[in-house]
Coordinates of all heavy atoms in Angstrom, one line a residue:
M290 N -20.6 -26.5 -73.1 CA -21.4 -25.3 -72.6 C -22.9 -25.7 -72.4 O -23.4 -25.3 -71.4 CB -21.2 -24.2 -73.7 CG -21.9 -23.0 -73.3 SD -21.0 -22.2 -72.0 CE -21.9 -20.7 -71.9
L291 N -23.4 -26.4 -73.3 CA -24.8 -26.8 -73.2 C -25.0 -27.8 -71.9 O -26.0 -27.6 -71.2 CB -25.3 -27.5 -74.4 CG -26.8 -28.0 -74.4 CD1 -27.7 -26.8 -74.3 CD2 -27.1 -28.7 -75.7
V292 N -24.0 -28.6 -71.7 CA -24.1 -29.5 -70.5 C -24.1 -28.7 -69.2 O -24.9 -29.0 -68.3 CB -23.0 -30.6 -70.6 CG1 -22.9 -31.4 -69.3 CG2 -23.1 -31.4 -71.8
R293 N -23.2 -27.7 -69.2 CA -23.2 -26.9 -68.0 C -24.5 -26.2 -67.7 O -25.0 -26.1 -66.6 CB -22.1 -25.8 -68.1 CG -20.7 -26.4 -68.0 CD -19.7 -25.3 -68.0 NE -18.4 -25.8 -68.4 CZ -17.4 -25.0 -68.7 NH1 -17.5 -23.7 -68.7 NH2 -16.2 -25.6 -68.9
T294 N -25.1 -25.7 -68.8 CA -26.4 -25.0 -68.7 C -27.5 -25.9 -68.2 O -28.3 -25.5 -67.3 CB -26.8 -24.4 -70.0 OG1 -25.7 -23.5 -70.5 CG2 -28.0 -23.5 -69.9
V295 N -27.5 -27.1 -68.7 CA -28.5 -28.1 -68.3 C -28.3 -28.4 -66.8 O -29.3 -28.5 -66.1 CB -28.5 -29.3 -69.2 CG1 -29.4 -30.4 -68.6 CG2 -28.9 -29.0 -70.6
I296 N -27.1 -28.7 -66.4 CA -26.8 -29.0 -65.0 C -27.2 -27.8 -64.1 O -27.8 -28.1 -63.1 CB -25.3 -29.4 -64.9 CG1 -25.0 -30.7 -65.6 CG2 -24.9 -29.5 -63.4 CD1 -23.6 -31.1 -65.6
L297 N -26.9 -26.6 -64.5 CA -27.2 -25.5 -63.7 C -28.7 -25.3 -63.6 O -29.2 -25.1 -62.5 CB -26.6 -24.2 -64.4 CG -26.9 -22.9 -63.6 CD1 -26.2 -23.0 -62.3 CD2 -26.3 -21.7 -64.4
Y298 N -29.5 -25.5 -64.6 CA -30.9 -25.5 -64.6 C -31.5 -26.6 -63.7 O -32.4 -26.4 -62.9 CB -31.6 -25.6 -65.9 CG -31.5 -24.3 -66.7 CD1 -31.1 -24.2 -68.0 CD2 -31.9 -23.1 -66.1 CE1 -31.0 -23.0 -68.7 CE2 -31.8 -21.9 -66.8 CZ -31.4 -21.9 -68.1 OH -31.3 -20.7 -68.8
C299 N -30.9 -27.8 -63.7 CA -31.3 -28.9 -62.8 C -31.1 -28.5 -61.4 O -32.0 -28.7 -60.5 CB -30.6 -30.1 -63.2 SG -31.1 -30.9 -64.7
I300 N -29.9 -28.0 -61.1 CA -29.6 -27.6 -59.7 C -30.5 -26.5 -59.2 O -31.1 -26.5 -58.1 CB -28.1 -27.1 -59.6 CG1 -27.2 -28.3 -59.8 CG2 -27.9 -26.5 -58.3 CD1 -25.7 -28.0 -59.9
M301 N -30.8 -25.5 -60.1 CA -31.7 -24.4 -59.7 C -33.1 -24.9 -59.5 O -33.8 -24.5 -58.5 CB -31.7 -23.3 -60.8 CG -30.4 -22.5 -60.8 SD -30.3 -21.4 -62.2 CE -31.7 -20.4 -62.0
T302 N -33.6 -25.9 -60.3 CA -34.9 -26.4 -60.1 C -35.0 -27.2 -58.8 O -36.0 -27.0 -58.0 CB -35.2 -27.4 -61.2 OG1 -35.1 -26.6 -62.5 CG2 -36.6 -27.9 -61.1
V303 N -34.0 -28.0 -58.5 CA -34.0 -28.7 -57.2 C -34.0 -27.8 -56.0 O -34.7 -28.0 -55.1 CB -32.8 -29.7 -57.2 CG1 -32.6 -30.3 -55.8 CG2 -32.9 -30.8 -58.2
C304 N -33.2 -26.7 -56.1 CA -33.1 -25.8 -55.0 C -34.5 -25.1 -54.8 O -34.9 -24.8 -53.7 CB -32.0 -24.8 -55.2 SG -30.4 -25.5 -55.0
A305 N -35.1 -24.7 -55.9 CA -36.3 -24.0 -55.9 C -37.4 -24.8 -55.3 O -38.3 -24.4 -54.5 CB -36.7 -23.5 -57.2
V306 N -37.4 -26.1 -55.6 CA -38.5 -27.0 -55.1 C -38.2 -27.4 -53.6 O -39.1 -27.6 -52.8 CB -38.6 -28.3 -56.0 CG1 -39.5 -29.3 -55.4 CG2 -39.0 -27.9 -57.4
A307 N -36.9 -27.5 -53.3 CA -36.6 -28.0 -51.9 C -36.9 -27.0 -50.8 O -37.1 -27.4 -49.7 CB -35.1 -28.4 -51.9
F308 N -36.8 -25.7 -51.2 CA -37.0 -24.7 -50.1 C -38.5 -24.6 -49.8 O -39.3 -24.8 -50.7 CB -36.4 -23.3 -50.6 CG -34.9 -23.3 -50.6 CD1 -34.3 -22.8 -51.7 CD2 -34.2 -23.8 -49.5 CE1 -32.9 -22.7 -51.7 CE2 -32.8 -23.8 -49.5 CZ -32.2 -23.2 -50.6
H309 N -38.8 -24.1 -48.6 CA -40.2 -23.9 -48.2 C -40.7 -22.6 -48.8 O -39.9 -21.8 -49.3 CB -40.2 -23.8 -46.7 CG -39.9 -25.1 -46.0 ND1 -40.8 -26.1 -45.9 CD2 -38.7 -25.6 -45.5 CE1 -40.2 -27.1 -45.3 NE2 -39.0 -26.8 -45.0
E310 N -42.0 -22.4 -48.7 CA -42.6 -21.2 -49.2 C -42.2 -20.0 -48.5 O -42.0 -18.9 -49.0 CB -44.1 -21.3 -49.2 CG -44.7 -22.4 -50.1 CD -46.2 -22.5 -49.9 OE1 -46.8 -21.7 -49.2 OE2 -46.7 -23.5 -50.4
N311 N -42.0 -20.1 -47.2 CA -41.6 -19.0 -46.3 C -40.1 -19.0 -46.0 O -39.8 -18.5 -44.9 CB -42.4 -19.1 -45.0 CG -43.9 -19.1 -45.2 OD1 -44.4 -18.3 -46.1 ND2 -44.7 -19.9 -44.5
T312 N -39.3 -19.4 -46.9 CA -37.9 -19.4 -46.6 C -37.3 -18.1 -46.2 O -36.6 -17.9 -45.3 CB -37.1 -20.0 -47.8 OG1 -37.6 -21.3 -48.1 CG2 -35.6 -20.1 -47.5
Y313 N -37.6 -17.1 -47.0 CA -37.1 -15.7 -46.8 C -37.7 -15.2 -45.5 O -36.9 -14.6 -44.7 CB -37.4 -14.7 -47.9 CG -36.8 -13.4 -47.6 CD1 -35.4 -13.2 -47.8 CD2 -37.6 -12.3 -47.2 CE1 -34.9 -11.9 -47.5 CE2 -37.1 -11.1 -47.0 CZ -35.7 -10.9 -47.1 OH -35.2 -9.7 -46.8
A314 N -39.0 -15.4 -45.2 CA -39.6 -14.9 -44.0 C -38.9 -15.5 -42.8 O -38.7 -14.9 -41.8 CB -41.1 -15.1 -44.0
V315 N -38.7 -16.8 -42.9 CA -38.1 -17.5 -41.8 C -36.6 -17.0 -41.6 O -36.2 -16.8 -40.4 CB -38.1 -19.1 -42.0 CG1 -37.2 -19.8 -41.0 CG2 -39.5 -19.6 -41.9
W316 N -35.9 -16.8 -42.7 CA -34.5 -16.3 -42.6 C -34.5 -15.0 -41.9 O -33.7 -14.7 -41.0 CB -33.9 -16.3 -44.0 CG -32.5 -15.7 -43.9 CD1 -31.4 -16.4 -43.7 CD2 -32.2 -14.4 -44.2 NE1 -30.3 -15.5 -43.7 CE2 -30.8 -14.3 -44.0 CE3 -32.9 -13.2 -44.5 CZ2 -30.1 -13.1 -44.2 CZ3 -32.2 -12.0 -44.6 CH2 -30.8 -12.0 -44.5
E317 N -35.5 -14.1 -42.3 CA -35.5 -12.8 -41.7 C -35.9 -12.8 -40.2 O -35.3 -12.1 -39.4 CB -36.6 -12.0 -42.5 CG -36.6 -10.5 -42.1 CD -37.5 -9.7 -43.0 OE1 -38.3 -10.3 -43.7 OE2 -37.5 -8.5 -42.9
L318 N -36.8 -13.7 -39.9 CA -37.1 -13.8 -38.4 C -36.0 -14.4 -37.6 O -35.8 -13.9 -36.5 CB -38.4 -14.7 -38.3 CG -39.7 -14.1 -38.7 CD1 -40.8 -15.2 -38.7 CD2 -40.1 -13.0 -37.7
R319 N -35.2 -15.3 -38.2 CA -34.1 -15.8 -37.5 C -33.0 -14.7 -37.3 O -32.4 -14.7 -36.2 CB -33.5 -17.0 -38.2 CG -34.3 -18.3 -38.1 CD -33.6 -19.4 -38.8 NE -34.5 -20.6 -38.6 CZ -34.1 -21.8 -39.1 NH1 -33.0 -21.9 -39.8 NH2 -34.9 -22.8 -38.9
E320 N -32.9 -13.9 -38.3 CA -31.9 -12.8 -38.2 C -32.4 -11.8 -37.1 O -31.5 -11.4 -36.3 CB -31.9 -12.1 -39.6 CG -30.9 -10.9 -39.6 CD -29.6 -11.3 -40.2 OE1 -29.5 -12.5 -40.6 OE2 -28.7 -10.5 -40.2
L321 N -33.6 -11.5 -37.0 CA -34.2 -10.7 -36.0 C -34.0 -11.3 -34.6 O -33.7 -10.6 -33.6 CB -35.6 -10.4 -36.2 CG -36.0 -9.3 -37.2 CD1 -37.5 -9.3 -37.5 CD2 -35.5 -8.0 -36.8
L322 N -34.2 -12.6 -34.5 CA -34.0 -13.3 -33.3 C -32.6 -13.2 -32.8 O -32.3 -13.0 -31.6 CB -34.4 -14.8 -33.4 CG -34.4 -15.7 -32.2 CD1 -35.3 -15.1 -31.1 CD2 -34.7 -17.1 -32.5
I323 N -31.6 -13.4 -33.7 CA -30.2 -13.3 -33.3 C -29.9 -11.9 -32.8 O -29.2 -11.7 -31.8 CB -29.3 -13.8 -34.4 CG1 -29.5 -15.2 -34.7 CG2 -27.9 -13.4 -34.2 CD1 -28.8 -15.7 -36.0
E324 N -30.4 -10.9 -33.5 CA -30.2 -9.5 -33.1 C -30.8 -9.2 -31.7 O -30.1 -8.6 -30.9 CB -30.9 -8.6 -34.2 CG -30.6 -7.2 -33.9 CD -31.3 -6.3 -35.0 OE1 -31.2 -6.7 -36.2 OE2 -32.0 -5.3 -34.6
R325 N -32.0 -9.7 -31.5 CA -32.6 -9.5 -30.2 C -31.9 -10.2 -29.1 O -31.7 -9.7 -27.9 CB -34.1 -9.9 -30.2 CG -35.0 -9.1 -31.1 CD -34.9 -7.6 -30.8 NE -35.8 -6.9 -31.7 CZ -35.6 -6.4 -32.9 NH1 -34.4 -6.5 -33.4 NH2 -36.5 -5.7 -33.5
Q326 N -31.4 -11.4 -29.3 CA -30.6 -12.1 -28.3 C -29.3 -11.4 -28.0 O -28.9 -11.3 -26.8 CB -30.3 -13.5 -28.8 CG -31.5 -14.5 -28.8 CD -31.2 -15.8 -29.5 OE1 -30.4 -15.9 -30.4 NE2 -31.9 -16.8 -29.1
L327 N -28.7 -10.9 -29.0 CA -27.5 -10.1 -28.7 C -27.8 -8.8 -27.9 O -27.0 -8.5 -27.0 CB -26.8 -9.7 -30.0 CG -26.1 -10.8 -30.8 CD1 -25.6 -10.3 -32.2 CD2 -24.9 -11.4 -30.0
N328 N -28.9 -8.2 -28.2 CA -29.3 -7.0 -27.4 C -29.6 -7.4 -26.0 O -29.2 -6.7 -25.1 CB -30.6 -6.4 -28.0 CG -30.3 -5.7 -29.3 OD1 -29.2 -5.5 -29.7 ND2 -31.4 -5.4 -30.0
L329 N -30.2 -8.6 -25.8 CA -30.5 -9.0 -24.4 C -29.2 -9.3 -23.7 O -29.0 -8.9 -22.5 CB -31.3 -10.3 -24.5 CG -31.7 -10.9 -23.1 CD1 -32.6 -9.9 -22.3 CD2 -32.5 -12.2 -23.3
W330 N -28.2 -9.9 -24.3 CA -26.9 -10.1 -23.7 C -26.2 -8.8 -23.3 O -25.6 -8.7 -22.2 CB -26.0 -11.0 -24.5 CG -26.3 -12.4 -24.5 CD1 -26.8 -13.2 -25.4 CD2 -26.0 -13.3 -23.4 NE1 -27.0 -14.5 -25.0 CE2 -26.5 -14.6 -23.7 CE3 -25.5 -13.1 -22.1 CZ2 -26.4 -15.6 -22.9 CZ3 -25.4 -14.2 -21.2 CH2 -25.9 -15.4 -21.6
E331 N -26.3 -7.8 -24.2 CA -25.7 -6.5 -23.9 C -26.4 -5.9 -22.7 O -25.8 -5.2 -21.8 CB -25.8 -5.6 -25.1 CG -24.9 -6.1 -26.2 CD -25.1 -5.2 -27.5 OE1 -25.9 -4.3 -27.5 OE2 -24.4 -5.6 -28.5
L332 N -27.7 -6.0 -22.6 CA -28.5 -5.4 -21.5 C -28.1 -6.1 -20.2 O -28.0 -5.5 -19.2 CB -30.0 -5.5 -21.8 CG -30.5 -4.6 -22.8 CD1 -32.0 -4.9 -23.2 CD2 -30.5 -3.1 -22.3
L333 N -27.9 -7.4 -20.3 CA -27.5 -8.2 -19.1 C -26.1 -7.8 -18.6 O -25.8 -7.7 -17.4 CB -27.6 -9.7 -19.3 CG -29.1 -10.2 -19.5 CD1 -29.0 -11.6 -19.9 CD2 -29.9 -10.0 -18.2
E334 N -25.3 -7.5 -19.6 CA -23.9 -7.0 -19.2 C -24.0 -5.6 -18.6 O -23.1 -5.3 -17.8 CB -23.0 -7.0 -20.5 CG -22.6 -8.4 -20.9 CD -21.7 -9.1 -19.9 OE1 -20.8 -8.4 -19.3 OE2 -21.9 -10.2 -19.6
Q335 N -24.9 -4.8 -19.1 CA -25.0 -3.4 -18.5 C -25.4 -3.5 -17.0 O -25.0 -2.5 -16.3 CB -26.1 -2.6 -19.3 CG -25.7 -2.2 -20.6 CD -26.8 -1.3 -21.3 OE1 -27.8 -1.0 -20.7 NE2 -26.5 -1.0 -22.5
L336 N -26.0 -4.5 -16.6 CA -26.4 -4.6 -15.2 C -25.2 -4.6 -14.3 O -25.2 -4.3 -13.1 CB -27.3 -5.8 -14.9 CG -28.7 -5.7 -15.5 CD1 -29.4 -7.0 -15.3 CD2 -29.4 -4.6 -14.8
K337 N -24.0 -5.0 -14.8 CA -22.8 -5.1 -14.0 C -22.3 -3.7 -13.6 O -21.7 -3.6 -12.5 CB -21.7 -5.8 -14.8 CG -22.0 -7.2 -15.0 CD -20.8 -7.9 -15.8 CE -21.1 -9.3 -16.1 NZ -20.0 -10.0 -16.9
Y338 N -22.5 -2.7 -14.4 CA -21.9 -1.4 -14.1 C -22.9 -0.2 -14.1 O -22.6 0.9 -13.9 CB -20.8 -1.1 -15.1 CG -21.3 -1.1 -16.6 CD1 -21.9 0.1 -17.1 CD2 -21.1 -2.2 -17.3 CE1 -22.3 0.0 -18.4 CE2 -21.5 -2.2 -18.7 CZ -22.1 -1.1 -19.2 OH -22.5 -1.1 -20.5
V339 N -24.2 -0.5 -14.3 CA -25.2 0.5 -14.3 C -25.5 1.1 -12.9 O -25.4 0.3 -11.9 CB -26.5 0.0 -15.0 CG1 -27.3 -0.9 -14.1 CG2 -27.4 1.2 -15.4
T340 N -25.8 2.3 -12.8 CA -26.1 2.9 -11.5 C -27.5 2.5 -11.1 O -28.3 2.1 -11.9 CB -26.0 4.5 -11.6 OG1 -27.0 5.0 -12.5 CG2 -24.6 4.9 -12.0
E341 N -27.8 2.8 -9.8 CA -29.1 2.4 -9.2 C -30.3 3.2 -9.9 O -31.4 2.7 -10.0 CB -29.2 2.7 -7.7 CG -28.3 1.7 -6.9 CD -28.8 0.2 -7.1 OE1 -30.0 0.0 -7.2 OE2 -27.9 -0.6 -7.2
E342 N -30.0 4.4 -10.3 CA -31.0 5.2 -11.0 C -31.3 4.7 -12.4 O -32.5 4.8 -12.8 CB -30.6 6.7 -11.1 CG -30.4 7.4 -9.8 CD -29.0 7.1 -9.2 OE1 -28.1 7.0 -9.9 OE2 -29.0 7.1 -7.9
Q343 N -30.4 4.1 -13.0 CA -30.6 3.6 -14.4 C -31.1 2.1 -14.4 O -31.6 1.7 -15.5 CB -29.2 3.6 -15.1 CG -28.7 5.1 -15.3 CD -27.3 5.1 -15.9 OE1 -26.5 4.1 -15.6 NE2 -27.0 6.2 -16.5
R344 N -31.0 1.4 -13.3 CA -31.5 0.1 -13.3 C -32.9 -0.2 -13.7 O -33.2 -1.1 -14.5 CB -31.3 -0.5 -11.9 CG -30.1 -1.4 -11.8 CD -29.9 -2.0 -10.4 NE -28.5 -2.3 -10.2 CZ -27.8 -3.2 -10.8 NH1 -28.4 -4.0 -11.6 NH2 -26.5 -3.4 -10.6
P345 N -33.9 0.7 -13.3 CA -35.2 0.4 -13.8 C -35.4 0.6 -15.3 O -36.2 -0.2 -15.9 CB -36.1 1.6 -13.1 CG -35.3 1.9 -11.9 CD -33.8 1.7 -12.3
V346 N -34.6 1.4 -15.9 CA -34.6 1.6 -17.3 C -34.1 0.3 -18.0 O -34.7 -0.2 -19.0 CB -33.8 2.8 -17.8 CG1 -33.8 2.9 -19.3 CG2 -34.4 4.1 -17.2
V347 N -33.0 -0.2 -17.5 CA -32.4 -1.4 -18.0 C -33.4 -2.6 -17.9 O -33.6 -3.4 -18.8 CB -31.0 -1.7 -17.4 CG1 -30.5 -3.0 -17.9 CG2 -30.1 -0.6 -17.7
Y348 N -34.0 -2.7 -16.7 CA -35.0 -3.8 -16.5 C -36.1 -3.7 -17.5 O -36.6 -4.7 -18.0 CB -35.5 -3.7 -15.0 CG -34.6 -4.1 -13.9 CD1 -34.7 -3.6 -12.7 CD2 -33.6 -5.0 -14.2 CE1 -33.8 -3.9 -11.7 CE2 -32.7 -5.4 -13.2 CZ -32.8 -4.9 -11.9 OH -31.9 -5.2 -11.0
S349 N -36.6 -2.4 -17.7 CA -37.7 -2.2 -18.7 C -37.2 -2.7 -20.1 O -38.0 -3.3 -20.8 CB -38.1 -0.8 -18.7 OG -39.0 -0.5 -19.7
D350 N -36.0 -2.3 -20.5 CA -35.5 -2.7 -21.8 C -35.3 -4.2 -21.9 O -35.6 -4.8 -22.9 CB -34.1 -2.1 -22.0 CG -34.2 -0.6 -22.3 OD1 -35.4 -0.1 -22.6 OD2 -33.2 0.1 -22.2
I351 N -34.9 -4.9 -20.8 CA -34.8 -6.3 -20.8 C -36.2 -7.0 -20.9 O -36.4 -7.9 -21.7 CB -34.1 -6.8 -19.5 CG1 -32.7 -6.5 -19.5 CG2 -34.3 -8.3 -19.3 CD1 -31.9 -6.7 -18.2
E352 N -37.2 -6.4 -20.3 CA -38.5 -7.0 -20.4 C -39.1 -6.8 -21.8 O -39.6 -7.7 -22.4 CB -39.5 -6.3 -19.4 CG -40.9 -6.8 -19.4 CD -41.0 -8.2 -19.0 OE1 -40.2 -8.7 -18.1 OE2 -41.9 -8.9 -19.5
H353 N -38.8 -5.6 -22.4 CA -39.3 -5.4 -23.7 C -38.6 -6.3 -24.7 O -39.2 -6.9 -25.6 CB -39.0 -3.9 -24.1 CG -39.4 -3.6 -25.5 ND1 -40.7 -3.5 -25.9 CD2 -38.7 -3.3 -26.6 CE1 -40.8 -3.2 -27.2 NE2 -39.5 -3.1 -27.6
T354 N -37.3 -6.5 -24.6 CA -36.5 -7.4 -25.5 C -37.0 -8.8 -25.3 O -37.1 -9.5 -26.3 CB -35.0 -7.3 -25.2 OG1 -34.6 -5.9 -25.2 CG2 -34.2 -8.1 -26.2
T355 N -37.2 -9.3 -24.1 CA -37.7 -10.7 -24.0 C -39.1 -10.9 -24.6 O -39.4 -11.9 -25.2 CB -37.8 -11.1 -22.5 OG1 -38.5 -10.2 -21.8 CG2 -36.4 -11.2 -21.9
Q356 N -39.9 -9.8 -24.6 CA -41.3 -9.9 -25.2 C -41.1 -10.0 -26.7 O -41.8 -10.7 -27.4 CB -42.1 -8.7 -24.9 CG -42.6 -8.7 -23.4 CD -43.3 -7.5 -23.0 OE1 -43.5 -6.5 -23.8 NE2 -43.8 -7.4 -21.8
E357 N -40.1 -9.2 -27.3 CA -39.9 -9.3 -28.7 C -39.3 -10.7 -29.1 O -39.7 -11.2 -30.1 CB -38.9 -8.2 -29.1 CG -39.4 -6.8 -29.1 CD -38.4 -5.8 -29.5 OE1 -37.2 -6.1 -29.4 OE2 -38.8 -4.7 -29.9
I358 N -38.5 -11.2 -28.3 CA -37.9 -12.6 -28.6 C -39.1 -13.6 -28.6 O -39.1 -14.4 -29.5 CB -36.8 -12.9 -27.5 CG1 -35.6 -12.1 -27.8 CG2 -36.5 -14.4 -27.6 CD1 -34.5 -12.2 -26.8
N359 N -39.9 -13.5 -27.6 CA -41.1 -14.5 -27.5 C -42.0 -14.3 -28.7 O -42.5 -15.3 -29.3 CB -41.8 -14.3 -26.2 CG -41.1 -14.8 -25.0 OD1 -40.2 -15.7 -25.1 ND2 -41.4 -14.2 -23.9
S360 N -42.2 -13.1 -29.2 CA -43.0 -12.8 -30.3 C -42.4 -13.4 -31.6 O -43.1 -14.0 -32.4 CB -43.2 -11.3 -30.5 OG -43.9 -11.0 -31.7
I361 N -41.1 -13.2 -31.8 CA -40.4 -13.8 -32.9 C -40.5 -15.3 -32.9 O -40.7 -16.0 -33.9 CB -38.9 -13.3 -33.0 CG1 -38.9 -11.8 -33.2 CG2 -38.1 -14.0 -34.0 CD1 -37.6 -11.1 -33.0
I362 N -40.3 -15.9 -31.7 CA -40.3 -17.4 -31.6 C -41.7 -17.9 -32.0 O -41.9 -18.9 -32.7 CB -39.9 -17.8 -30.2 CG1 -38.4 -17.6 -30.0 CG2 -40.3 -19.3 -30.0 CD1 -38.0 -17.8 -28.6
D363 N -42.8 -17.2 -31.5 CA -44.2 -17.5 -31.9 C -44.4 -17.5 -33.4 O -45.0 -18.3 -34.0 CB -45.2 -16.6 -31.2 CG -45.2 -16.9 -29.7 OD1 -44.8 -18.0 -29.3 OD2 -45.7 -16.0 -29.0
Q364 N -43.8 -16.4 -34.1 CA -44.0 -16.3 -35.5 C -43.2 -17.4 -36.2 O -43.7 -18.0 -37.2 CB -43.4 -15.0 -36.0 CG -44.3 -13.8 -35.5 CD -43.6 -12.5 -35.9 OE1 -42.9 -12.4 -36.9 NE2 -44.0 -11.4 -35.2
L365 N -42.0 -17.8 -35.7 CA -41.3 -18.9 -36.3 C -42.1 -20.2 -36.2 O -42.1 -21.0 -37.1 CB -39.9 -19.0 -35.7 CG -38.9 -18.0 -36.1 CD1 -37.7 -18.1 -35.2 CD2 -38.5 -18.3 -37.6
L366 N -42.7 -20.4 -35.0 CA -43.5 -21.6 -34.8 C -44.7 -21.7 -35.8 O -45.1 -22.7 -36.3 CB -43.9 -21.8 -33.4 CG -42.8 -22.1 -32.4 CD1 -43.3 -22.0 -31.0 CD2 -42.2 -23.4 -32.7
Q367 N -45.3 -20.5 -36.0 CA -46.5 -20.4 -36.9 C -46.1 -20.8 -38.3 O -46.8 -21.5 -39.0 CB -47.1 -19.0 -36.9 CG -47.9 -18.7 -35.6 CD -48.4 -17.3 -35.6 OE1 -48.1 -16.5 -36.5 NE2 -49.1 -17.0 -34.6
H368 N -44.9 -20.2 -38.8 CA -44.4 -20.6 -40.1 C -44.1 -22.1 -40.2 O -44.5 -22.7 -41.2 CB -43.1 -19.8 -40.4 CG -43.4 -18.4 -40.8 ND1 -44.0 -18.1 -42.0 CD2 -43.1 -17.2 -40.2 CE1 -44.1 -16.7 -42.1 NE2 -43.5 -16.2 -41.0
D369 N -43.6 -22.7 -39.2 CA -43.3 -24.1 -39.2 C -44.6 -24.9 -39.3 O -44.7 -25.9 -40.0 CB -42.5 -24.5 -38.0 CG -42.0 -25.9 -38.1 OD1 -41.2 -26.2 -39.0 OD2 -42.4 -26.7 -37.2
K370 N -45.6 -24.5 -38.5 CA -46.9 -25.2 -38.5 C -47.6 -25.1 -39.8 O -48.2 -26.0 -40.3 CB -47.8 -24.7 -37.4 CG -47.3 -25.1 -36.0 CD -48.2 -24.5 -34.9 CE -47.6 -24.9 -33.6 NZ -48.4 -24.3 -32.5
Q371 N -47.4 -24.0 -40.5 CA -48.0 -23.8 -41.9 C -47.3 -24.7 -42.9 O -47.9 -25.3 -43.8 CB -47.8 -22.4 -42.3 CG -48.7 -21.4 -41.6 CD -48.5 -20.0 -42.0 OE1 -47.6 -19.7 -42.8 NE2 -49.3 -19.1 -41.5
Q372 N -46.0 -24.9 -42.7 CA -45.2 -25.8 -43.6 C -45.4 -27.2 -43.3 O -45.3 -28.1 -44.2 CB -43.7 -25.4 -43.6 CG -43.4 -24.1 -44.2 CD -43.8 -24.0 -45.7 OE1 -43.6 -25.0 -46.4 NE2 -44.3 -22.9 -46.1
H373 N -45.6 -27.6 -42.1 CA -45.7 -29.0 -41.7 C -47.0 -29.2 -40.9 O -46.9 -29.3 -39.7 CB -44.5 -29.4 -40.9 CG -43.2 -29.1 -41.5 ND1 -42.7 -29.8 -42.6 CD2 -42.3 -28.1 -41.3 CE1 -41.5 -29.3 -42.9 NE2 -41.3 -28.2 -42.2
P374 N -48.1 -29.2 -41.5 CA -49.4 -29.3 -40.8 C -49.6 -30.7 -40.1 O -49.0 -31.6 -40.4 CB -50.5 -29.1 -41.9 CG -49.8 -29.1 -43.2 CD -48.3 -29.1 -43.0

């Protein structure tokens, strides 16, 4: 029992030291990035069947989504530059 506890503490220590300071923030940004990419694909699929009156709205949504994606990528790059100066 004591051996298992010591091994568990060693593993936890290695994992705690190995991760970056911004691990959760990076994970959350990657999650948002995946979500926005899926939204973009759905918007692009909507262009196949949307009416002419609705097209400007879809184009606007696509532009907004691409801006969000670019912003998330910029934040991810900033986190990386902080971790690896």
Side-chain angles (χ1 to χ4, degrees):
M290 181 70 173
L291 181 62
V292 174
R293 289 184 197 169
T294 306
V295 171
I296 292 173
L297 182 62
Y298 282 131
C299 289
I300 291 172
M301 290 173 58
T302 304
V303 168
C304 289
V306 172
F308 289 134
H309 295 277
E310 295 174 11
N311 298 320
T312 301
Y313 181 75
V315 170
W316 178 83
E317 189 175 11
L318 285 171
R319 286 182 179 182
E320 184 94 4
L321 282 173
L322 182 61
I323 291 170
E324 182 181 316
R325 296 304 185 269
Q326 287 174 330
L327 289 173
N328 289 348
L329 182 61
W330 279 109
E331 289 174 4
L332 288 169
L333 292 171
E334 286 296 316
Q335 285 182 8
L336 289 175
K337 292 180 181 177
Y338 57 84
V339 73
T340 63
E341 289 299 321
E342 296 84 30
Q343 296 171 333
R344 258 181 208 286
V346 175
V347 175
Y348 289 151
S349 173
D350 289 345
I351 288 172
E352 181 65 32
H353 179 71
T354 305
T355 55
Q356 288 174 358
E357 287 180 341
I358 288 172
N359 288 333
S360 172
I361 293 169
I362 290 171
D363 290 340
Q364 291 175 25
L365 283 168
L366 290 175
Q367 287 175 355
H368 281 293
D369 187 64
K370 288 177 184 176
Q371 289 174 354
Q372 289 299 319
H373 308 285

